[in-house]
Amino acid sequence: MSPQPQAAVGAPLSRVDGRLKVTGKARYAAESDVDGAVHAVIVDASIGRGRITSIDTADAEQQAGVLRVIHHGNAPKLPYRDNAGSNNPPGRRLRVFQDDRVLFHGQPVAVVVATTLEAAQHGASLVKVRYDAERPSTDLHDAERDKPTNYARGDADAGLRDAAVRLDLTYRLARNHHNPMEPHATIARWDGDKLTVWDKTQWVMGTHDELAAVFGLPAESVRVINPFVGGGFGSGLRCWPHSVVAALAARETKRPVKLVLSRRQMYFGTGFRPSYEYRLRLGSDRRGRLTAAIHDIDAETSSYETFTEAVMGAGQMLYSMPNVSQAYRTVPLDVNTPIWMRGPGFASASFVIESAMDELAHKLGIDPIELRLRNEPNEDESSNLPFSTRRLRECYTVGAREFGWQRRSARPRSRREGDWLIGLGMAAGVYDPGRFPAQARARLDADGTAVVEAATSDMGPGTYTSQTQVAADALGLTMRTVTFRLGDSRYPPTSPHGGSATMASVGTAVHDACDQVRQQAIELAVEDRESPLYGVKADDVVVRGGRLHVKGNPARGETYRTLLARNDRTYLEAGGSYTGPPTPQRRSYHAYNATFAEVAVDATLGLVRVRRMLGVYDAGRIISPKLADSQAIGGIVGGIGTALLEHTATDHRDGRIVNANLADYLVPVNADVPEVRAIYLDGEDNDGNALGVKGLGEVVQVGVAAAIGNAVFNATGRRVRELPITAEALL
């Protein structure tokens, strides 16, 4: 069929759900209106490792309003079937209230259910738990490593030994927590043997499947509802123990139960970006051509599950070099299991690799952009596949021009404004966007409006809006006549809402479903003797504003409404799908960026202020520029947090997170965020999906911390290899 006019896609449209959000009418998980819901509060373990020897619930149970206290001593045994299709890492997932073992500080050891939140909170404070405590292992640097995952090409040891220039650098990256505005929450209700859950999740189907597995239920007996998510950043990519606790409490009390994690509980009730110790040995010739790199990577995981992320990818393909060796070791600790956080793996690796490239550029006296250009590969050297698109050179050129890179002095500490030392830095970024199978359903009603459904989520990137844009253009309708529905496991199944996968995966399924419906209407028209389009070739018919007409002759046509009414059709409907990337993979499919930063550092106090930032992105087709800007700003803000503020402080004596609150765990606020600008290279990437998109949500955070760190070095001459960069490190 002829291409449809693109009226919605590419337009800077406001969010279709924006009014609901700013007026407070958008219902988040804990705000769902469930009649008769009572409240649950989790009692957390106060030790980091050991066994529960006794639980005294008498005082709690005597309090007015308390209905039940559930713990391992009285909880029923749950099936906890295997769930191979979930985001659960390898290992034995935490089984709530199934035994007396304590695996980490904050683990749920009991739950108090009461008629009011205040009664549940007070009851939880009265539960007395005694332990046989052991000293936990929570220090990444003092624990035993697992066997490594290895990658190698060439002979990295020989390549490094023979290199004219060698660097041996060790970087340390602090643990980061997601801290979305909306706390994690679950409301669970049983109707006989059927479970309905309103849950904060980034994967409706993942939570659905996990609850079915835990409780031994058939899939059709579980429903998960999640129309809005108040931020996620990856924290909702698996079903956490509190959701199981809520469902268990609801079944035991025979009442709907609402359970909301406190801000403190979110630091151990959900996952986090793991801490890293990352040694990089880098070799080059005197012109800066890289000859070898040896990566030794240690990352924390829990003692009961082995969490890994794509921290090795960038080191294998971002730059051309013949010899690469990598060893990625997980370090089991007495902590809860980590989870993906924005730009997972690539964001952590980029700080190391891009800082090291900046160090090498300084040592060789080569401009940092020029050094990167000298090491641009012609193909993905980790897979020997051609790139689908790789426009990093253009990112560098556009970024340098727009940011004023030529004003940068190569000599650190050479630009000063009063007490402030000024520096410029840059970094490259790469991310491997997800492409997962997804389905969608589209229905065109007789009144000329359409409804499109998919069981995806919207944690903030604007899924409601972007999918409506795709659907509107594919159907030839206006935005206001299309309704996109998400967040319900009864809708067609989709992949996790993360990994920059939603637009490519769900968007392609939506496009496919809507394209089929439009084709049904066109075929109906061209075969209908009473239609103005009778006998016209289907390929010559387009639809605009709900009206089918001959391409180039808008006068000859009719509306969907007229066509369906004349043919006694109440609706047209189709299911669409996306099957995932080509198998075998034909090309290396990545999104790229160049990030630029200007910082000012107080020469006396060591305070760092980011003054302006620019990101230039090779991210394929941009469906919504307005939403894209929101993503870019958010990713850069997150990178500022990683670079300068965010870190978890743990008391290694008992595993307690000392700063489990937003007063002591610092995140960027308005005063920390400078002028931010984003530029998107025109073009599309048609290798992986029909929309030509790559996904933007992850790559925007990759490289930000390195760009800031490199700017700090340019300002001060002090190289900081530990995140976050603190004033103490610069004094």
Side-chain angles (χ1 to χ4, degrees), residues 15 21 87 176-184 200-203 229-238 240 263 266-267 270-274 307 309 338-345 347 431 457-462 496-500 502 630-639 641-642 646 662 665 667-668 696-701:
R15 295 172 186 256
K21 290 185 173 180
N87 272 338
N176 285 181
H177 285 268
H178 305 75
N179 275 306
M181 287 296 291
E182 181 199 11
H184 280 260
K200 172 173 179 162
T201 177
Q202 292 174 234
W203 191 17
V229 180
F233 314 110
S235 64
L237 284 172
R238 69 178 291 191
W240 296 107
R263 180 63 57 177
M266 287 176 62
Y267 285 78
T270 64
F272 50 87
R273 193 194 303 276
F307 172 80
E309 58 184 357
I339 192 70
W340 300 282
M341 187 171 176
R342 197 169 197 174
Y431 188 77
S457 299
D458 188 349
M459 63 172 161
H497 179 53
S500 286
T502 302
S630 177
Q631 287 295 284
I633 292 169
I636 288 173
V637 170
T642 296
E646 298 187 49
L662 285 178
Y665 182 97
V667 298
L696 189 68
E698 311 287 352
V699 75
V700 289
Q701 188 153 343

Side-chain angles (χ1 to χ4, degrees), residues 509-523:
V510 166
H511 183 272
D512 182 41
C514 294
D515 189 59
Q516 291 185 53
V517 168
R518 189 187 79 254
Q519 290 182 42
Q520 288 178 29
I522 291 174
E523 289 167 4

Side-chain angles (χ1 to χ4, degrees), residues 529-597:
R529 292 180 178 273
E530 297 183 33
S531 172
L533 296 171
Y534 175 67
V536 175
K537 290 183 179 180
D539 287 349
D540 292 335
V541 178
V542 295
V543 187
R544 185 193 299 268
R547 189 173 185 276
L548 303 86
H549 65 82
V550 176
K551 181 173 55 177
N553 184 9
R556 184 180 178 185
E558 66 177 325
T559 65
Y560 279 137
R561 182 181 297 185
T562 303
L563 174 67
L564 267 62
R566 189 174 60 251
N567 285 273
D568 296 322
R569 302 292 290 270
T570 56
Y571 65 88
L572 300 176
E573 187 175 53
S577 64
Y578 174 67
T579 58
T583 304
Q585 195 167 333
R586 300 187 300 258
R587 291 179 176 82
S588 173
Y589 175 82
H590 293 81
Y592 301 91
N593 77 49
T595 301
F596 294 78

Side-chain angles (χ1 to χ4, degrees), residues 359-538:
E359 296 204 40
L360 180 62
H362 180 71
K363 185 169 185 174
L364 293 171
I366 299 174
D367 180 85
I369 293 178
E370 175 59 28
L371 177 66
R372 287 164 173 81
L373 289 170
R374 292 181 187 183
N375 290 282
E376 265 292 287
N378 294 318
E379 65 175 8
D380 184 333
E381 295 179 352
S382 67
S383 62
N384 296 320
L385 292 174
F387 296 111
S388 57
T389 72
R390 179 180 168 118
R391 300 168 66 187
L392 258 178
R393 291 179 181 273
E394 193 174 346
C395 289
Y396 298 145
T397 301
V398 172
R401 181 186 70 237
E402 296 297 316
F403 199 70
W405 184 254
Q406 73 279 2
R407 296 196 298 271
R408 173 185 178 271
S409 171
R411 183 168 58 86
R413 210 179 177 91
S414 61
R415 181 179 166 194
R416 187 168 186 144
E417 296 178 7
D419 292 333
W420 296 94
L421 302 170
I422 312 301
L424 300 184
M426 60 80 58
V430 59
Y431 188 77
D432 181 6
R435 292 176 290 171
F436 308 119
Q439 298 179 32
R441 180 170 54 244
R443 187 185 76 240
L444 175 67
D445 289 324
D447 63 358
T449 64
V451 175
V452 185
E453 297 170 335
T456 187
S457 299
D458 188 349
M459 63 172 161
T463 309
Y464 278 108
T465 308
S466 58
Q467 301 298 342
T468 303
Q469 289 175 272
V470 170
D473 280 352
L475 289 166
L477 293 172
T478 60
M479 289 281 289
R480 66 176 179 273
T481 56
V482 177
T483 299
F484 180 71
R485 296 174 181 164
L486 55 74
D488 192 325
S489 60
R490 291 185 176 177
Y491 296 156
T494 62
S495 54
H497 179 53
S500 286
T502 302
M503 200 66 250
S505 304
V506 181
T508 301
V510 166
H511 183 272
D512 182 41
C514 294
D515 189 59
Q516 291 185 53
V517 168
R518 189 187 79 254
Q519 290 182 42
Q520 288 178 29
I522 291 174
E523 289 167 4
L524 189 64
V526 299
E527 295 174 3
D528 182 355
R529 292 180 178 273
E530 297 183 33
S531 172
L533 296 171
Y534 175 67
V536 175
K537 290 183 179 180

Side-chain angles (χ1 to χ4, degrees), residues 179-220:
N179 275 306
M181 287 296 291
E182 181 199 11
H184 280 260
T186 303
I187 301 177
R189 184 186 72 200
W190 291 83
D191 299 291
D193 60 355
K194 295 186 182 297
L195 173 63
T196 302
V197 167
W198 293 260
D199 186 65
K200 172 173 179 162
T201 177
Q202 292 174 234
W203 191 17
V204 169
M205 298 310 302
T207 297
H208 169 276
D209 294 349
E210 176 68 359
L211 290 173
V214 169
F215 287 94
L217 298 170
E220 61 270 18

